[in-house]
Amino acid sequence: MLYFAEFFFFFFYFKMIIFNYSYFFSWTMMNSSFSVTFPLYFDFISCMFMSMVLLISGSIIFYSYFYMDSEIYKTRFFFLMLLFVVSMIFLILCPNFFCMLLGWDGLGLISYCLVIYYQNFKSFSSGMITALTNRVGDVFILASIAMFFSMGSWSYMNYVFSLNLTWLSIFFLIASLTKSAQIPFSAWLPAAMAAPTPVSSLVHSSTLVTAGVYIMIRFNYFLSENLKFFLLFISLLTMVMSGISGVFEYDLKKIIALSTLSQLGFMMTSISLNLSNLAFFHLVTHASFKALLFMCAGMFIHNFFDNQDIRFFGLMNKNFSFSLSMFNVANLSLCGFPFLSGFFSKDLILELFLLKKVNTLFFVLIFLGTFLTVFYTFRLIYFLSLKNPFYYPLEISNKKLGIEYSMGFLFLFSIFLGFFGSLFFFFPYNYVVLPITLKVLVLVLCFFSIFFCIIFSSSLFCFNSKISLFLGQMWFLYFLKTDFLKFPFFNFSFKVSKSLNGFSELFFGFYLYKYLFFISSVSNKYLKSLFSFFFFMFLYFFFVFIFMNL
Amino acid sequence: MLAISFTFFVLFFCLVMGIKWFILLSLMMMFYPFFHFLNFNLSLFSKNLYISLDFFSFLMIILTFWIVFLSILSSMNILMSSFSKLFLILFYFLFFFLYMFFSVSNFFFFFFFFEATLIPTLFIIVGWGNKVERIKSGYYLFFYTLFGSMPMLMSIFFLKEMNFSLIFFFFNLKSTYYLMYMFLVISLLIKMPMFLVHSWLPKAHVEAPLSGSMILAGVLLKMGGYGLFRLMNLFKKFSNLNSIWIYISLWGGILSSFICLRQVDLKSIIAFSSVSHMSLVIVGILIFCYSSLIGSLMLMVSHGLCSSGLFFLANILYERSGSRSIFLNKGLMSMFPSLSIWWFIFCAFNMACPPSLNLISEIFLMNGLISWSFLFVFFLMFISFLGGVYNLFLFSFCNHGSMYSSIFFFNSCYLIEYFILYMHFFPIFFFFMKLFFFF
């Protein structure tokens, strides 16, 4: 059914791109000085993205039918996946902040449920990081909704020409940074790998992390030039940081997650250079090959007895020749190998970057990022297919038949999508004039990278120092997320709950209670024995008379 | 209105004549839908000397009805015991007092029913609580409220002298009497509860039986907010003093959210979360902005339903495992998979996620507060974020992980428990869909 819906949207997409149509449906709930509407917006961006999401989610549900075969609560898993896709659909189709929040919060919460799907402590803590980082974005969106409220409408189409959006655009930028895991918030993305592999495939290809990029594509006219400069800096740093961490990482899923992070940085870069259409193109192609990459990785992990360390893999071409070829195609497409689908978007963005006026730092950073992308891609290829494994397993566990069929569509898409996409609607960007040195710069860089990779990949084992710790742990962002923030916050809340709460209780409640009891017990004691009562009365009247006489 | 008051006498008559509780309950339920035919708006009172309803009190009465049904239904083991009639009589008295509290127009009767609700609440907590500490928590509940209410009585007399009338919509003071204002507002804020005078609430919640804490969180906390709304005419003159309460409750919302993070008792977590939500209500009412007023009204309704549902969920665990500690109640997701869905829904609704009334109310409150000061956005964002944190903690501590190993057997959930949970969930969702109800 998801496949069917996918073709429906794909057909729509062609119609819209050829005739340049866009449809807008709106359901008015309430109309006074403030209008609450539920709009649906179909243009080529939303239709293309919808078709991609539905294709990938259909494939992944087909795939997880095999992958989650021995799971007891299968129904919960599939319902969560479907809810995830539904909230992504809300996010894509509604050009309204409020309805978008429906999908936005839904994505955050259901991704939390999916990350803590396995019931161990590691998935618990990583789910908490994921959910809380997304909650930051939710809160910022909530605040910006409340601000738009006083401007008259939640539909963002009404604000295309408005200029006074300073705080709003900052809030939106921060929200999208949390969702797409840019640099201060990027620790949750590798942590979310605790989810089952079909989930991380869905999360990383087209749904959760691209939601932030998607709203930035939609709202790119909100950003002022200063904010774009800031975004460019942040995204380039993210790209380099995740590339370096990917080089030092040995977990298969984490390497792919970090590659997603670097590609997200790349998309954000192209948004901040006013190339939001190209960013969208890269988003779509990236979605297809990243989903494929994760599905293949999940299959390897599943068949290698749940081993995720790439040092234990090797010589896949003997046993998994077809799925390894799919994996490698997706990998090459990721690093922009010529004429695979990643090439068309990535190369275009790089060349248009060279056409822009940017400073040297950004120039260095983006090409360092590209260099690192090629580096970790070929490192994966080297470890998985060229290197001998540490051990030869006596038996590879039985491959499920049909699991490759679920990847077939994505395989085709990750080869051809870039070519057809660039044919159909990106021809105005194809006019690039560059000197020959800059034109071949990317190619030379890639060859250098492959060369370095083959030299260093085997020797990076012994490169074990504080520097490597710094680079491998995402520039200590991981510590910043957990320990750095956890201890002060929890200490503070401990102090509050001990001192302030106890103080207020003592001051307002307990002393009252205590002294009331004290006074009543004292008077009770003295009134019980009649002697002391009369003695007390005598003294009292005695003094009274004395003072009266005075 | 007379007819509805008459029904109560019928109900009490039935109770005294020894008719079973479920017939009484069904009688009440039969009268409930007639409320929905009434239609009010926020500004107009129906003209009557003693009883007047507007939209605010109308919603609160509906909420009272709803929570009372559910809390009677949920305390099944008390109803089956030998003291069921006493319990029911107390509950109907509480219901009657609340109903009258939300509908009277005279300030003195308002005060009278405000105090009268204390007695059945105290009896319910002290009579059907679980531990010995319930006596102390009963003291706390009683004396905190009485501490505020005696000065309030004095200021009512003073108001009668100055204003010549105690009917709410004739309040019109020429000059400002600060002491009177302080006395009036303090007693309402203790009932809310505002942050520094909140410590009766967690104690009362922890020691109360399920039905007591449900009605405490659901309706009794809303009495303070209702009173603040009623006396808004009076408080307008004192907007410079109102800012004191606004600042205290904003910081208190943050700090009580922090306190939530370090609680180990399920009921205590929910109680502190209601402190932080009620602080938002205080702020929303006291800045005198229409949208934030609507927002705090919505938050009162939604929080009443949501926290009542959370207390019910906590009690389900308490009945199974015999403990309310979050360290012992673990791993529900593998034992009660369909119950953990309800946990998730209620925790998500409590942290203001769509589709719930809490979200809309938070947006309205934020919008109102921005008009007061832009800096409030950051406070509210922080409160909202911390709300997300403690609700996720609550959900995941109970539902994730492995089961406590010394629990050997327990029965699974009854159908009526799912029914009650659904009945808590449905209005929150329904009001989200029917937003124009509030305008």
Side-chain angles (χ1 to χ4, degrees):
Chain A
M1 207 182 80
L2 283 172
Y3 276 125
F4 177 73
E6 182 264 323
F7 285 117
F8 180 72
F9 275 100
F10 209 62
F11 169 72
F12 251 2
Y13 156 70
F14 277 117
K15 189 174 177 188
M16 276 158 193
I17 196 71
I18 289 164
F19 299 107
N20 203 6
Y21 275 178
S22 60
Y23 293 93
F24 188 80
F25 304 100
S26 178
W27 170 36
T28 307
M29 287 183 184
M30 197 194 74
N31 218 342
S32 62
S33 62
F34 178 78
S35 65
V36 179
T37 53
F38 187 84
L40 292 175
Y41 183 48
F42 296 91
D43 65 338
F44 73 89
I45 290 180
S46 60
C47 273
M48 184 69 201
F49 202 24
M50 274 294 289
S51 71
M52 213 56 220
V53 167
L54 289 172
L55 169 75
I56 288 171
S57 56
S59 304
I60 286 170
I61 282 172
F62 189 39
Y63 170 83
S64 52
Y65 183 71
F66 297 102
Y67 190 83
M68 305 296 281
D69 195 26
S70 51
E71 173 64 37
I72 301 168
Y73 298 119
K74 252 185 216 167
T75 324
R76 184 173 82 202
F77 182 76
F78 285 114
F79 266 104
L80 282 176
M81 293 282 267
L82 279 177
L83 276 174
F84 201 63
V85 175
V86 165
S87 32
M88 191 64 203
I89 287 168
F90 268 116
L91 185 73
I92 294 168
L93 287 184
C94 299
N96 182 325
F97 294 110
F98 189 70
C99 306
M100 202 189 74
L101 185 74
L102 208 69
W104 185 270
D105 263 2
L107 279 179
L109 278 176
I110 295 165
S111 72
Y112 173 68
C113 278
L114 286 168
V115 172
I116 64 163
Y117 190 78
Y118 293 138
Q119 310 221 329
N120 48 15
F121 184 72
K122 198 184 167 199
S123 60
F124 171 82
S125 53
S126 52
M128 198 52 91
I129 290 175
T130 309
L132 293 185
T133 317
N134 282 322
R135 184 71 194 161
V136 174
D138 291 349
V139 163
F140 275 101
I141 291 246
L142 203 67
S144 56
I145 282 173
M147 285 158 146
F148 273 119
F149 193 1
S150 49
M151 294 170 76
S153 169
W154 277 326
S155 180
Y156 59 66
M157 294 192 159
N158 301 341
Y159 300 106
V160 179
F161 299 112
S162 46
L163 296 171
N164 285 324
L165 293 170
T166 47
W167 277 104
L168 278 170
S169 48
I170 290 169
F171 281 9
F172 252 93
L173 186 65
I174 293 171
S176 77
L177 289 186
T178 58
K179 211 58 156 186
S180 60
Q182 300 301 303
I183 219 164
F185 306 107
S186 46
W188 70 268
L189 198 105
M193 286 296 103
T197 313
V199 177
S200 29
S201 169
L202 191 61
V203 162
H204 281 247
S205 60
S206 59
T207 48
L208 183 65
V209 295
T210 51
V213 180
Y214 179 75
I215 67 160
M216 270 298 117
I217 289 165
R218 283 290 192 202
F219 296 105
N220 64 334
Y221 45 80
F222 280 175
L223 299 179
S224 61
E225 285 305 314
N226 287 334
L227 276 182
K228 273 180 181 163
F229 185 78
F230 173 71
L231 181 63
L232 183 60
F233 188 57
I234 288 282
S235 56
L236 284 175
L237 274 183
T238 311
M239 200 174 157
V240 173
M241 181 270 291
S242 56
I244 289 174
S245 317
V247 168
F248 282 92
E249 188 64 53
Y250 284 106
D251 192 323
L252 176 60
K253 276 176 84 176
K254 274 194 179 172
I255 293 172
I256 303 174
L258 288 167
S259 77
T260 307
L261 191 52
S262 89
Q263 296 306 305
L264 287 172
F266 196 65
M267 289 169 210
M268 281 295 188
T269 310
S270 67
I271 286 168
S272 54
L273 293 169
N274 291 326
L275 303 171
S276 58
N277 267 347
L278 274 183
F280 176 67
F281 185 36
H282 190 62
L283 178 66
V284 170
T285 52
H286 169 258
S288 67
F289 58 72
K290 189 48 65 74
L292 181 63
L293 207 59
F294 263 113
M295 282 152 90
C296 294
M299 195 185 141
F300 294 152
I301 291 166
H302 195 69
N303 288 336
F304 262 82
F305 308 108
D306 301 337
N307 160 48
Q308 296 195 9
D309 202 319
I310 53 169
R311 283 168 291 193
F312 293 128
F313 289 118
L315 281 183
M316 293 292 211
N317 44 5
K318 291 270 171 62
N319 294 312
F320 302 96
S321 46
F322 184 52
S323 38
L324 183 72
S325 68
M326 285 202 280
F327 184 83
N328 282 345
V329 163
N331 232 338
L332 289 172
S333 183
L334 173 72
C335 72
F337 196 78
F339 311 118
L340 291 177
S341 74
F343 166 76
F344 287 95
S345 50
K346 203 167 180 177
D347 192 54
L348 209 52
I349 293 172
L350 280 176
E351 283 175 353
L352 286 167
F353 181 86
L354 290 175
L355 280 180
K356 301 264 174 187
K357 279 184 180 173
V358 286
N359 57 25
T360 319
L361 176 67
F362 290 168
F363 180 81
V364 169
L365 281 178
I366 196 167
F367 282 100
L368 188 58
T370 317
F371 176 84
L372 287 166
T373 309
V374 179
F375 194 103
Y376 61 71
T377 307
F378 273 90
R379 182 163 167 264
L380 263 188
I381 291 172
Y382 168 79
F383 268 99
L384 286 188
S385 48
L386 298 179
K387 188 180 68 68
N388 286 332
F390 264 28
Y391 68 100
Y392 289 96
L394 291 176
E395 179 197 26
I396 302 290
S397 62
N398 284 328
K399 282 198 288 183
K400 302 283 191 310
L401 273 177
I403 197 163
E404 280 100 348
Y405 299 124
S406 61
M407 310 173 196
F409 267 116
L410 292 177
F411 184 46
L412 290 179
F413 267 68
S414 59
I415 297 172
F416 296 118
L417 184 68
F419 175 65
F420 285 112
S422 65
L423 260 187
F424 275 120
F425 73 119
F426 291 109
F427 63 90
Y429 294 108
N430 281 345
Y431 188 71
V432 178
V433 181
L434 282 175
I436 187 75
T437 49
L438 289 180
K439 188 77 178 171
V440 297
L441 177 65
V442 184
L443 203 63
V444 171
L445 210 66
C446 291
F447 277 119
F448 260 109
S449 176
I450 295 167
F451 178 66
F452 275 113
C453 172
I454 288 167
I455 292 172
F456 281 118
S457 285
S458 50
S459 66
L460 271 177
F461 280 116
C462 47
F463 193 64
N464 194 2
S465 65
K466 278 176 186 169
I467 290 290
S468 110
L469 189 70
F470 170 71
L471 296 174
Q473 298 281 2
M474 306 173 69
W475 297 358
F476 295 144
L477 274 179
Y478 217 80
F479 296 110
L480 187 119
K481 209 51 167 204
T482 54
D483 296 348
F484 183 72
L485 283 180
K486 193 179 78 181
F487 284 118
F489 268 67
F490 271 76
N491 277 333
F492 180 67
S493 63
F494 179 70
K495 277 171 190 160
V496 164
S497 63
K498 282 295 168 207
S499 64
L500 199 51
N501 190 26
F503 166 72
S504 71
E505 186 186 325
L506 275 183
F507 190 75
F508 291 96
F510 185 69
Y511 280 156
L512 201 82
Y513 176 81
K514 199 177 156 188
Y515 285 118
L516 221 65
F517 260 71
F518 177 70
I519 291 165
S520 68
S521 69
V522 164
S523 58
N524 194 22
K525 191 178 159 193
Y526 279 99
L527 290 177
K528 244 178 191 170
S529 58
L530 281 173
F531 170 74
S532 56
F533 172 70
F534 284 120
F535 187 69
F536 183 75
M537 284 323 243
F538 167 74
L539 279 180
Y540 177 71
F541 282 108
F542 182 75
F543 279 109
V544 165
F545 281 121
I546 285 172
F547 282 111
M548 271 175 73
N549 288 335
L550 281 173
Chain B
M1 182 49 65
L2 240 171
I4 296 164
S5 310
F6 180 66
T7 57
F8 286 99
F9 289 107
V10 174
L11 286 175
F12 285 121
F13 183 69
C14 292
L15 195 73
V16 173
M17 296 299 280
I19 297 179
K20 286 276 188 289
W21 60 269
F22 48 86
I23 299 175
L24 287 172
L25 203 64
S26 56
L27 267 171
M28 267 167 64
M29 281 187 174
M30 275 162 64
F31 283 109
Y32 175 72
F34 292 105
F35 279 98
H36 283 285
F37 294 121
L38 304 171
N39 201 3
F40 295 98
N41 65 34
L42 208 54
S43 57
L44 274 178
F45 280 87
S46 60
K47 293 286 186 292
N48 189 329
L49 199 56
Y50 297 111
I51 285 177
S52 61
L53 285 175
D54 65 343
F55 181 66
F56 212 103
S57 52
F58 164 61
L59 256 181
M60 286 299 122
I61 286 169
I62 286 181
L63 185 71
T64 312
F65 258 82
W66 197 254
I67 297 292
V68 167
F69 296 159
L70 295 175
S71 50
I72 289 178
L73 267 182
S74 61
S75 55
M76 201 57 101
N77 50 356
I78 298 174
L79 292 173
M80 296 302 178
S81 70
S82 55
F83 290 105
S84 67
K85 190 170 282 181
L86 187 60
F87 179 77
L88 271 179
I89 286 173
L90 282 175
F91 231 82
Y92 280 121
F93 265 108
L94 181 56
F95 177 38
F96 179 70
F97 291 147
L98 280 171
Y99 184 82
M100 292 316 289
F101 173 78
F102 287 128
S103 54
V104 291
S105 68
N106 194 315
F107 194 16
F108 181 74
F109 285 113
F110 174 90
F111 173 75
F112 177 75
F113 290 113
F114 183 75
E115 297 305 318
T117 50
L118 266 181
I119 299 161
T121 317
L122 181 75
F123 283 173
I124 287 170
I125 289 176
V126 174
W128 282 272
N130 294 309
K131 284 184 279 183
V132 188
E133 283 86 16
R134 64 180 185 262
I135 311 286
K136 196 179 166 186
S137 68
Y139 273 119
Y140 266 75
L141 168 72
F142 212 79
F143 284 108
Y144 261 84
T145 319
L146 281 185
F147 176 74
S149 60
M150 286 304 126
M152 191 189 192
L153 188 64
M154 290 297 114
S155 59
I156 285 172
F157 292 148
F158 186 72
L159 198 68
K160 174 75 177 173
E161 285 295 309
M162 291 297 119
N163 199 37
F164 309 113
S165 162
L166 283 179
I167 294 171
F168 287 122
F169 44 101
F170 293 149
F171 278 158
N172 189 20
L173 285 182
K174 290 286 185 295
S175 51
T176 51
Y177 304 106
Y178 287 103
L179 203 63
M180 183 201 73
Y181 163 77
M182 279 293 177
F183 285 167
L184 286 180
V185 83
I186 278 282
S187 80
L188 294 170
L189 288 179
I190 288 172
K191 195 72 182 176
M192 276 299 276
M194 195 179 62
F195 177 63
L196 287 173
V197 285
H198 68 278
S199 61
W200 64 273
L201 183 74
K203 286 202 187 315
H205 270 308
V206 166
E207 299 305 328
L210 167 65
S211 51
S213 59
M214 273 169 81
I215 203 161
L216 196 63
V219 190
L220 290 177
L221 293 190
K222 276 74 200 168
M223 287 164 69
Y226 176 76
L228 284 181
F229 168 70
R230 271 283 161 272
L231 301 178
M232 247 170 77
N233 256 341
L234 221 57
F235 293 162
K236 268 189 296 198
K237 294 264 166 53
F238 305 95
S239 51
N240 51 340
L241 285 181
N242 277 331
S243 56
I244 299 171
W245 315 124
I246 290 171
Y247 299 141
I248 289 177
S249 10
L250 268 181
W251 277 107
I254 292 172
L255 292 177
S256 58
S257 312
F258 269 118
I259 292 168
C260 254
L261 294 177
R262 295 299 290 231
Q263 299 297 316
V264 289
D265 193 320
L266 280 177
K267 272 189 163 179
S268 183
I269 294 175
I270 305 163
F272 274 108
S273 89
S274 57
V275 173
S276 96
H277 278 103
M278 282 299 117
S279 69
L280 290 182
V281 172
I282 295 172
V283 175
I285 291 174
L286 286 184
I287 60 168
F288 306 126
C289 168
Y290 184 77
S291 66
S292 73
L293 179 68
I294 294 282
S296 48
L297 170 62
M298 287 196 246
L299 188 58
M300 277 156 76
V301 173
S302 61
H303 172 261
L305 292 161
C306 194
S307 64
S308 168
L310 276 172
F311 276 119
F312 185 70
L313 279 167
N315 192 66
I316 289 175
L317 286 192
Y318 181 57
E319 282 176 0
R320 302 293 180 278
S321 68
S323 166
R324 284 192 307 267
S325 168
I326 54 170
F327 299 119
L328 301 185
N329 293 305
K330 274 185 172 303
L332 245 74
M333 213 188 287
S334 45
M335 290 297 154
F336 304 109
S338 41
L339 190 68
S340 76
I341 291 174
W342 285 109
W343 267 107
F344 186 70
I345 287 172
F346 278 104
C347 286
F349 277 9
N350 205 23
M351 64 189 259
C353 273
S356 71
L357 196 60
N358 298 52
L359 171 77
I360 312 259
S361 63
E362 212 149 284
I363 288 169
F364 272 67
L365 275 170
M366 269 194 191
N367 180 43
L369 260 63
I370 288 168
S371 67
W372 214 72
S373 159
F374 182 76
L375 288 175
F376 277 10
V377 178
F378 300 104
F379 281 89
L380 278 185
M381 273 158 55
F382 204 52
I383 290 176
S384 190
F385 173 72
L386 285 173
V389 175
Y390 63 72
N391 279 307
L392 282 176
F393 266 55
L394 180 61
F395 171 72
S396 55
F397 264 113
C398 294
N399 289 288
H400 193 260
S402 58
M403 198 77 187
Y404 178 48
S405 56
S406 73
I407 297 172
F408 296 116
F409 59 91
F410 45 81
N411 49 353
S412 65
C413 294
Y414 302 115
L415 194 61
I416 192 166
E417 290 169 344
Y418 288 120
F419 172 71
I420 289 165
L421 286 173
Y422 177 72
M423 281 299 167
H424 279 117
F425 157 78
F426 176 70
I428 309 175
F429 182 67
F430 173 78
F431 282 134
F432 177 79
M433 283 307 180
K434 291 276 175 191
L435 256 190
F436 59 82
F437 190 74
F438 287 95
F439 294 95

